[in-house]
Every structure is written in structure tokens, then in C-alpha cells.
Amino acid sequence: MNGKAGPRATGEGTTGSTGTTRTRLDRGRGALGPALELVHTGRAPTRAVLTAELGVTRATAGAVAAELEALGLIRVDARPAAEAGSQGRPSHRLEVAEDGPVALAAQVHADGFRAALVGLGGRIVATAPGCETVDADPAKVLGSVVEAGAELLRGTGRRCVGAGLAVPSAVAEPDGLALNPLHLAWPAGAPVRQIFAERVRAAGIEGPAFAANDVNLAALAEHRHGAGRGARDLLCVATGHRGVGGALVLDGRLHTGSSGLALEVGHLTVNPEGRPCYCGSRGCLDVEADPLAFLTAAGREPGPVVSLLQQANDLIRGEYADPVVRMAVEALIDRLGLGLAGLVNILNPDRIILGGLHRTLLDADPHRLRAVVADRSLWGQSGGVPILACTLDHNSLVGAAELAWQPVLDDPLGALARV
């Protein structure tokens, strides 16, 4: 859905006629989804830009925008004002509707779970208090997080288009099985999508339910709304509460492989003499560049109250002047840089974005990380690959909502008729 919406409409009738307006809308109906995605991702801030991006006439673009507004999805500025110094007729501004429908987003990680309501544009409308314990039974956890989301929906009275779940595990397609939820103590192969969908239906929440890997969803959210916007081939690497994950956007689309299991970057070896990994190997990124690895390198015992990610971030931001902390930062940067360099050699991305603790490491010493990647990668030496920090808070939650929003982006009329 990154291309044009189809051939340019022609033969428009006289403006103001009800019949002509209906004809324009009929001709532009196939453009409703592409138009909504353009507004959703911020690529069509005005009706003039929408017209150009869709490749339709101004009248057809106006009819499409009006229909999306009638559906409660966007708002069209009724009285556009010209910007200072501009010439010609001002264009109507387009924005997502602040009071429009929402998607229920849920995320489970090693240190708890959270639910949120997310509107178009990746806007988090409401969040439930996070839980800091995760039961070994996925049905109990998913039941609790869905109930938290249902409570948000009852409290806000918002219409829900569907639900999405982010989990720290590879999720196999087409069955939605969490194959390696190592840090959750869940059984391998847990049918998380089925369980989640059942809990969503039991809570009376309308719309389809989806589940996917948390870093894949973070990459999807960042590509549409954050630091990855505009990239064609985007590599995302992140460490949240435990372990390291990676995701790839190729030619503007999330790449998940033949069965949803692509880019298990956490199991790249970056220290052959390093720690034993859960996968059976040794020195993988998963155990050499996550929050626990950093706290261990810095000689700090993980505390029982605050999450590992927060402990690690707080230590870097508050005690970076401590030589031991600084050495631990440098050690993790070198390991991370080695892994990124290998990925650059294989994938040749046009941008790398880092999330979680890796974002904090980049902030602490950006020159060191970029130098390691450049020195160890062929394409890095030829000009460098931009390495940026993720910019969205709770990007996995936003990405989970993107799963639920996708049917609406594909077919606004049909999807909203079903919920």
C-alpha cells in the first residue's frame, strides 16, 4: 500500500450535484484505504497532498476525505487558513479523529504486562496500570491483560476495531504459536493467538485479534510513526527487559519470513567465550547485550522491585562517570556493534534503529557504536549506515495496535461494518 491508489479519475461532472458527488465517491471508493493510511502515517497532512499521492482529481480526493470523516476516522479542516507568505487557495488540513475508534493493544514481557487503547496515527489514548508479575500459564496472563483493556474501553466508551498482542517470542505463522517464550516460563509452542482471541471474545470486545513478536511490532510502529519513517530497508534491534530481538522492514513492508520466524538476531554469536545461551550456544547477543548482561558487567545485583531494563537505564544515565559502569557500557557497545556489523553485511539496510537498552547505549556513546559498525562492516566502511534511536514510547504496544488497525486500513468500509 505504498504506491498509488490506481488510475487517475476522469470525466467529473458539475460540482454541487448530489449525483455527481456520489459518482466521485464511487470512483474513489477504492482509494479509501490508501487515503486513510496516508493520513494515519502523516504523509498526507492536507487534501492537496492527498490528491497528489492518490493520483486522483481534487474533487475525488475531497469525496474520499469526506467519506473517511463521515466514518469518524479523520477530521477535515472546514476553514483552511493560508500560511504566512503562501500564495493561492489554502488546502484543507487532514488529521486523524481524536475521538475516533481505537484498537486494544496488549504487551507481555519478562517483567510484567500492559494494556492500552491506541487510535489512528499511533496515538496512545489510554493505558492501564502495568502488572509486574507474569504467571507461567499464558491463559491467566492474557485473560488479565484483556480484562485490563476491557476496563479501559468501558471507561472511555470508545469503539474498538480489534486487538493486538506483542510477546517476547518468535510467533510462528499461520497458527500463532509462541515458539520460544524463554523469559516468560511459558511452554514452547503456546497458542498465544488463539488464547488471546478467545479472551478478547469472552470480554465482549469486537473485532479480530492478532499476536506477533514484540520487536517486529516495534519496527512496524517506528516505520509508520517514528524513527524509521521514510526508510525503505529498515533494521531494528532492541533489548527490552530480557534478551535481544531484531526486525526488518524490506521495501516498506515488515519481513517475517516464510513462517513468521525471520531475523532471530538474538542468537548471533558476538563473544565465542561468553555466557551460555538458552539456545544451547554460547556468547549470543541475547545473553551478551541485554539488561542483565549489563548489570552483571557493571557488578550490580538485579533488584527485586524495579524492572531490569529500568535498573540498567538508570545506572547508565545516573552513574556513567563511574569507571566500572563506563567499562560495562563500552563492553556492551562493542558486542552490539559486532552483531550489527554482521547484519549490515548481510542485509545492507538504509537505516538502523535501536530500542530499549540499546537506545540508551547509543545515547551514552554514539561515536563508539558507529565506529565499531563502520570498522567491522563492508558497507559501513563505504559510507556508513545511519544508526538512530527509536523515538516512540511503548512502540511494541503501538505496533500491536497496528495489527488491529490493518484491516481498517485495507478496507475502511468493510472493516467498520464488521465491528
Side-chain angles (χ1 to χ4, degrees), residues 169-185:
S169 168
V171 178
E173 299 292 348
D175 297 322
L177 308 180
L179 294 188
N180 60 341
L182 299 171
H183 305 296
L184 297 180

Side-chain angles (χ1 to χ4, degrees), residues 64-397:
V64 168
E67 179 72 356
L68 292 175
E69 185 173 37
L71 291 171
L73 297 171
I74 72 169
R75 292 287 177 266
V76 181
D77 183 5
R79 296 181 178 179
E83 297 182 4
S86 64
Q87 297 181 349
R89 184 168 58 181
S91 181
H92 297 269
R93 295 201 63 81
L94 307 177
E95 297 177 342
V96 296
E98 292 186 359
D99 57 350
V102 295
L104 168 60
Q107 181 182 11
V108 180
H109 52 72
D111 291 321
F113 59 80
R114 181 179 293 275
L117 304 182
V118 184
L120 283 168
R123 297 175 301 107
I124 295 180
V125 174
T127 57
C131 176
E132 296 179 354
T133 58
V134 179
D135 195 275
D137 181 357
K140 291 183 179 179
V141 178
L142 298 183
S144 296
V145 73
V146 168
E147 180 51 41
E151 184 64 29
L152 288 176
L153 287 169
R154 289 190 290 268
T156 60
R158 303 290 279 265
R159 183 182 186 183
C160 185
V161 299
L165 169 68
V167 292
S169 168
V171 178
E173 299 292 348
D175 297 322
L177 308 180
L179 294 188
N180 60 341
L182 299 171
H183 305 296
L184 297 180
W186 287 0
V192 291
R193 181 181 301 153
Q194 177 185 338
I195 296 171
F196 184 61
E198 289 172 350
R199 296 303 182 271
V200 166
R201 287 194 298 270
I205 298 172
E206 296 182 336
F210 306 88
N213 171 261
D214 54 359
V215 180
N216 276 350
L217 296 181
L220 179 62
E222 292 285 346
H223 185 258
R224 290 183 174 180
H225 308 293
R229 182 184 278 170
R232 177 178 174 179
D233 299 318
L234 173 70
L235 172 64
C236 175
V237 176
T239 176
H241 298 263
R242 290 294 303 275
V244 175
L248 184 65
V249 174
L250 287 179
D251 198 20
R253 293 182 178 276
L254 186 65
H255 175 71
T256 57
S258 61
S259 57
L261 308 179
L263 224 69
E264 279 290 304
V265 305
H267 300 290
L268 287 173
T269 298
V270 294
N271 183 10
E273 305 302 321
R275 300 175 179 86
C277 183
Y278 308 96
C279 71
S281 186
R282 180 179 290 274
C284 297
L285 267 178
D286 215 50
V287 292
E288 296 288 338
D290 77 341
L292 182 59
F294 172 72
L295 292 172
T296 301
R300 305 301 172 95
E301 287 291 332
V305 178
V306 180
S307 75
L308 294 174
L309 177 59
Q310 184 175 336
Q311 290 177 62
N313 283 336
D314 290 347
L315 185 58
I316 296 173
R317 291 166 180 159
E319 301 183 42
Y320 187 60
D322 183 327
V324 176
V325 174
R326 192 182 189 95
M327 287 179 61
V329 168
E330 292 174 350
L332 257 73
I333 284 177
D334 290 348
R335 296 168 194 165
L336 174 61
L338 182 61
L340 293 178
L343 292 168
V344 166
N345 286 338
I346 296 169
L347 302 173
N348 189 27
D350 57 43
R351 193 178 311 175
I352 299 171
I353 57 174
L354 302 178
L357 178 63
H358 294 163
R359 176 171 63 176
T360 309
L361 293 173
L362 177 65
D363 291 340
D365 196 342
H367 301 294
R368 186 183 186 96
L369 180 59
R370 291 176 178 131
V372 172
V373 175
D375 289 344
R376 294 287 192 138
S377 62
L378 295 172
W379 316 130
Q381 293 173 356
S382 68
V385 180
I387 303 176
L388 307 175
C390 291
T391 57
L392 299 179
D393 293 329
H394 307 298
N395 50 19
S396 291
L397 273 175

